[in-house]
Amino acid sequence: MDLSTILLGFSDAFAPVNLAFVILGVVVGQFVGALPGVGPVMAMAVAMPFTFTMDPLPAIAMLVGLNKGGLVGGAIPAVLINTPGTPDAAATALDGHPLAQQSKPKKAMKMALYSSVTGDAFSDLVLITVSAPLALLALKTGPVEIFALMVLAFSVIAGLIGDSLAKGLAATALGLLCATVGLDPEHATPRLFFGYFELFDGLPLVAVAVGVLVVAELFRRLSQIDDATRPVIPAADSGDPADARVSWMEYWGCRFTMLRGAAIGTALGALPGIGSTAAAFMSYASAKRASSDPESFGKGNLHGVAATESANSSVVGANLIPLLTLGIPGSITAALIVSALMIQGIQPGPLLFEQQGRLIYGLFGAMLMANVVNLVVGHAGLQLWARVVRAPETVIFASALLLCFVGVYLSTGGLFGVAIMLIFAVLGYLMGVFGYSTVVFIIAFFLGPRFEQSLGQALVILRGDPANLLNHPVAIALLLLAAVSVAWLLGGRRPPAASSIED
Amino acid sequence: MIANRLSGVATALFGIALYALVIPYGTETVDGGLMTPQTLPNIAALIIAATGVAQAASPSGAVDLAPSRMARAALYAALAAAAVWALGYLDFRIVAPVYVLTQMLMVGERRPVPLALGAIALPLAIWAVIVLALDRPLP
């Protein structure tokens, strides 16, 4: 790729319209992040159907802004009311809320903001540096290797997300099965459409994603509300200016903690299946181990906040590495970005850099801009977001449901899509009840068509004879790795905190 | 443990039903080619059946069965389904406020300001943005 494409891409990010959507994404992201129980994933899924009317760069930039803003906003209720706005912020509450109880809520929120932006920027720089060379490498792989790689990704994702390998594999298979609805790619015969001609093009991606991820969660949350008028009382400020700010010395004192957190988050984010919650807890544990005063952790130590926030935010950029280089979304937010790309008619994968180089570097520019916007908006909006924590969830959930209806109606062009959304909402709810990961399901559903295509191509290349795999050592290595990872996970050897990852 | 085991049995039966009944009924048989339209659906169905058997034999993972909460969730789903059905016959400006108001009342919201916000301001704002500002149709 030539330098001019890269520069043009970065300059696109500074175009007023793109910048406006980044700001919009960050503002809405911080807003929803500050609402306990909503979070950026729900906001991204609700916003996704609306992006089909937009140009690709502002659409993706807005979603990225939503995600980044949501992670920053998620720390606010964690600090103020000990209720994380997002699962990632659960570890932030360990030290953030004790700080708030010591009448230092602003200090805790500001430290969360600064360390979040620091970790995020670190991870973005790693993404920008490594993704293009990795994509070049990925381009050298053939369909057999791609098929083997997807088998490996499925086995890792199924094993690491959720708390049961059998349930993870079942969710993967169900996702793949749902992806086969519609015309078969090899013979163009309709499959599993049961007389509904609207299904010839397959199940609408947006309806399935919004149903499983958002509407199901809204039904779950609505069913858990016991007292709609329960007041929320956040911690009060001491009035001392020193307790309301983070000094340069305090920030600089946390530099190694933040760097360690960013490195952990980036490394885990680049691997499919391990999410930001695991990164936050691992970084917290690591910071506590490295501290000369480990007893102060859990009692309001700024390092605790810095460790968790730098780690969970640094997962965002790294999550895009497998997506942009291999077309494999390693997390639910990456899967939502994939669907937004697909709505725009763009196929994610290594060819993206060749065919959509300007867009990708525009996205990178937008990500860097989103960090700056996150810092500015986060700083300016701290007081406002602290009030948002008190917003009535009855109105929030009603708004989200109605927006899901409207968004899916607009993107699928009729009520059929909305009905599909509801069916998958019920399926998603039941999957949640019985412990089957909806995240694994949706990732398999997104990857299904590509998986089937790769399987078909691989069978042709191998002439239907598995013995011909011997001519593809990389594919053999990947399949062996998949088998080893399944055996490892069957043996119960799971990374810490992986069992609770649903992000 | 029992619920987990039963969910495994249900999953296994679902996989078998897919393989034996649904997929043969919902797909066409073709001649030639290394991949048939049934190949991937059958693989998926077999994996579902096998993992269901594994789950029934050795249950793992959490199950969060709470009948009262599930009944409430079913009510919200039924209300949403009724709203979608009604949207096929009536205007968004009629269905949306009634739907939101019913849902908020079901949750237990009784304060007038949140009720007015949810049932009047919200649907009106959505309608104004989509229909008037973006010039796109709503049901």
Side-chain angles (χ1 to χ4, degrees), chain A residues 163-164 166-167 170 173 177 184 187 189 191-192 222-225 228-229 394 399 401 409 415 422 429 433 435-436 459, chain B residues 4 11 18 26 32 34-35 37 44 51 55 60-64 69-70 72-73 84 88 99 103 107 109 111 122 137 139:
Chain A
D163 51 6
S164 158
K167 289 179 180 178
L177 182 78
D184 141 53
H187 303 275
T189 61
R191 290 184 298 194
L192 305 170
L222 282 167
S223 70
Q224 286 175 337
I225 296 178
T229 54
T394 52
S399 322
L401 259 177
Y409 176 85
L415 286 172
L422 280 184
Y429 178 81
V433 165
Y436 291 82
L459 282 173
Chain B
N4 224 342
T11 307
L18 282 170
L34 289 165
M35 281 248 307
T51 52
Q55 180 66 16
S60 59
V63 172
D64 182 24
R69 282 213 308 263
M70 286 179 76
R72 268 194 272 175
V84 175
Y99 168 58
Q103 191 210 82
V107 175
E109 182 60 80
R111 293 167 295 180
L122 171 71

Side-chain angles (χ1 to χ4, degrees), chain A residues 350-365:
Chain A
L351 283 172
L352 258 182
F353 282 88
E354 207 170 276
Q355 295 168 348
Q356 302 281 347
R358 188 169 166 175
L359 172 69
I360 295 303
Y361 281 93
L363 170 65
F364 290 162

Side-chain angles (χ1 to χ4, degrees), chain A residues 222 225-230 391-396 398, chain B residues 76 100-119:
Chain A
L222 282 167
I225 296 178
D226 290 321
D227 182 3
T229 54
R230 177 172 41 92
E393 53 188 4
T394 52
V395 178
I396 303 299
Chain B
Y76 294 119
V100 174
L101 182 67
T102 314
Q103 191 210 82
M104 290 176 78
L105 289 172
M106 278 168 68
V107 175
E109 182 60 80
R110 296 291 182 272
R111 293 167 295 180
V113 174
L115 283 175
L117 264 177

Side-chain angles (χ1 to χ4, degrees), chain A residues 55-395:
Chain A
D55 286 334
L57 183 54
I60 309 296
M62 186 180 75
L63 290 181
V64 168
L66 265 173
N67 192 16
K68 285 172 179 269
L71 285 173
V72 165
I76 293 168
V79 169
L80 291 181
I81 56 170
N82 203 18
T83 306
T86 56
D88 326 76
T92 309
L94 294 175
D95 277 286
H97 189 61
L99 274 168
Q101 286 176 319
Q102 293 160 25
S103 301
K104 298 173 185 172
K106 281 186 186 160
K107 186 187 276 288
M109 287 191 288
K110 284 181 181 171
M111 192 67 222
L113 171 68
Y114 300 152
S115 45
S116 187
V117 172
T118 306
D120 213 345
F122 175 90
S123 151
D124 289 350
L125 291 174
V126 172
L127 166 74
I128 294 167
T129 318
V130 307
S131 54
L134 277 179
L136 269 177
L137 201 67
L139 273 175
K140 292 187 173 36
T141 56
V144 182
E145 286 75 18
I146 292 286
F147 170 74
L149 187 69
M150 288 172 103
V151 171
L152 173 63
F154 283 142
S155 62
V156 172
I157 290 170
L160 288 184
I161 300 182
D163 51 6
S164 158
L165 178 63
K167 289 179 180 178
L169 287 173
T172 307
L174 188 60
L176 288 175
L177 182 78
C178 290
T180 63
V181 172
L183 290 179
D184 141 53
E186 191 106 342
H187 303 275
T189 61
R191 290 184 298 194
L192 305 170
F193 76 110
F194 304 109
Y196 291 98
F197 295 100
E198 294 94 335
L199 292 179
F200 263 39
D201 290 335
L203 287 163
L205 196 118
V206 172
V208 174
V210 173
V212 164
L213 297 176
V214 187
V215 182
E217 178 64 13
L218 286 171
F219 288 159
R220 191 181 71 81
R221 303 281 307 192
L222 282 167
S223 70
Q224 286 175 337
I225 296 178
D226 290 321
D227 182 3
T229 54
R230 177 172 41 92
V232 175
I233 305 160
D237 215 351
S238 72
D240 181 357
D243 287 345
R245 63 185 170 85
V246 174
S247 67
W248 171 251
M249 288 301 286
E250 284 171 321
Y251 175 81
W252 190 243
C254 292
R255 64 191 183 283
F256 292 121
T257 306
M258 285 188 283
L259 267 177
R260 193 187 305 112
I264 289 172
T266 305
L268 293 187
L271 301 171
I274 307 176
S276 44
T277 311
F281 278 102
M282 282 176 79
S283 170
Y284 185 81
S286 164
K288 192 175 174 180
R289 261 200 310 273
S291 172
S292 56
D293 182 20
E295 286 79 25
S296 63
F297 277 73
K299 295 172 186 160
N301 190 326
L302 272 182
H303 285 266
V305 177
T308 58
E309 282 299 310
S310 59
N312 71 28
S313 293
S314 62
V315 169
V316 176
N319 259 183
L320 296 186
I321 295 173
L323 175 69
L324 297 180
T325 55
L326 303 165
I328 295 174
S331 71
I332 195 60
T333 48
L336 290 171
I337 290 172
V338 171
S339 42
L341 285 169
M342 286 159 87
I343 286 173
Q344 301 284 344
I346 299 164
Q347 188 64 42
L351 283 172
L352 258 182
F353 282 88
E354 207 170 276
Q355 295 168 348
Q356 302 281 347
R358 188 169 166 175
L359 172 69
I360 295 303
Y361 281 93
L363 170 65
F364 290 162
M367 289 175 80
L368 292 175
M369 281 309 300
N371 293 333
V372 179
V373 175
N374 231 342
L375 187 63
V376 175
V377 172
H379 216 274
L382 217 56
Q383 294 280 17
L384 182 64
W385 306 145
R387 287 177 189 213
V388 165
V389 171
R390 283 173 271 195
E393 53 188 4
T394 52
V395 178

Side-chain angles (χ1 to χ4, degrees), chain A residues 41 154 157-158 161-162 168 171-172 175 212-213 273 329-335 428 431-432 436-446 501-503:
Chain A
V41 170
F154 283 142
I157 290 170
I161 300 182
T172 307
V212 164
L213 297 176
S331 71
I332 195 60
T333 48
M431 286 177 75
Y436 291 82
S437 170
T438 51
V439 174
V440 176
F441 166 83
I442 211 76
I443 290 176
F445 177 72
F446 287 135
I501 304 162
E502 275 289 328
D503 46 353

